Amino acid sequence: MNLILLFDEDFIDNDRVRLGGRRARHVRAVHGAQIGDELRVGRLNAKLGRGVVTALTDDSVEMTVTLDRPPPAPLPVAVLLALPRPKSLKRVLHAVATMGVKRVVLLNTWRVEKSFWNSPLLQPDALSEPLILGLEQARDTVLPEVTLRRRFKPFVEDESAALSAGTRKLLAHPAATSPCPHNVDCAVTLAIGPEGGFIGYEIELLTSYGFEPVSLGDRPLRVEQAVPALLGRLF
């Protein structure tokens, strides 16, 4: 945990917080904090700063906090991602939060198994868990927005144009002949398919709305490998 992320309910005064649970255990066991020690903190969707430990008990930590710095700049990218299998989803969400993505749309496509949509990991609290861990890793405070779209065609036809307006639209596809660009200097909307890629109809629909098919090369990657590889190449 490179940042102690604070939530509204932690504040017991304007500049005082009390932590319990996982974060308190981490402060005691990993940081080995003592009264007077200073830790990196940040308030969810707000500023970063420092916290000074003022009290320790077996199950809580209190700090006075000063929040005076903005969080790091986000990546200028929105990710349209075919819903992966649940175990992969947790890894992908952790990765995108760590790398600075702030908009993710989880899509249904032909190759997405219907059972994936019944996963308890799609509940709001479960979705936020790997995102919060990613923010802590990256010393960021701004929670990514994750939305679910179970109908591919209506999403592309009715929503994708507005979402991607003013951006370069890229479609990651293993069979594409154009290589994925790197070090782009504009905002991007990036569509990433499921294991096995988008089917032909889905590619045709996305390209009709301005998406450019691009590839990372001849080696097929799992989605949890492809997402950070694409983001790292683009930015």
Side-chain angles (χ1 to χ4, degrees):
M1 187 185 296
N2 295 321
L3 178 77
I4 310 300
L5 196 60
L6 308 174
F7 302 89
D8 291 346
E9 57 268 28
D10 297 326
F11 282 78
I12 55 178
D13 204 340
N14 289 336
D15 63 348
R16 293 176 56 226
V17 296
R18 180 183 295 122
L19 310 180
R22 176 182 66 89
R23 291 169 300 160
R25 291 192 296 271
H26 188 92
V27 167
R28 292 180 65 92
V30 178
H31 289 285
Q34 302 294 322
I35 291 175
D37 286 355
E38 187 172 289
L39 302 172
R40 293 187 185 93
V41 300
R43 188 168 187 168
L44 185 68
N45 294 322
K47 290 185 176 182
L48 299 166
R50 60 192 183 278
V52 177
V53 178
T54 57
L56 293 166
T57 70
D58 290 341
D59 55 7
S60 71
V61 175
E62 292 188 16
M63 292 185 287
T64 58
V65 297
T66 302
L67 303 173
D68 54 8
R69 292 184 289 110
L75 284 188
V77 60
V79 175
L80 314 181
L81 177 66
L83 181 65
R85 66 186 69 250
K87 288 184 179 180
S88 296
L89 176 61
K90 293 183 70 172
R91 299 187 189 106
V92 170
L93 292 178
H94 187 285
V96 298
T98 301
M99 298 184 76
V101 176
K102 299 304 176 186
R103 182 73 188 274
V104 180
V105 180
L106 298 176
L107 293 172
N108 193 32
T109 67
W110 192 82
R111 287 194 170 110
V112 171
E113 294 186 23
K114 291 182 179 179
S115 62
F116 293 175
W117 289 100
N118 298 323
S119 171
L121 292 177
L122 295 183
Q123 296 301 312
D125 287 348
L127 279 175
S128 66
E129 181 181 347
L131 299 174
I132 287 169
L133 294 175
L135 294 181
E136 293 173 343
Q137 173 66 35
R139 297 177 187 165
D140 193 357
T141 63
V142 181
L143 192 69
E145 176 186 357
V146 179
T147 54
L148 310 180
R149 292 295 182 266
R150 293 173 180 257
R151 301 176 66 200
F152 179 83
K153 184 172 183 285
F155 169 78
V156 175
E157 293 180 339
D158 300 338
E159 299 185 58
S160 68
L163 185 149
S164 62
T167 72
R168 184 174 180 180
K169 294 178 264 192
L170 300 177
L171 161 60
H173 184 57
T177 55
S178 297
C180 180
H182 57 88
N183 297 330
V184 298
D185 58 359
C186 63
V188 171
T189 302
L190 176 63
I192 305 171
E195 303 287 345
F198 292 109
I199 63 171
Y201 166 77
E202 294 163 347
I203 294 169
E204 290 176 7
L205 185 61
L206 286 166
T207 55
S208 73
Y209 279 80
F211 283 81
E212 312 168 44
V214 296
S215 172
L216 283 173
D218 296 333
R219 297 177 182 271
L221 301 177
R222 292 185 180 273
V223 65
E224 61 263 38
Q225 300 164 337
V227 171
L230 287 161
L231 295 173
R233 182 174 176 89
L234 287 170
F235 302 105

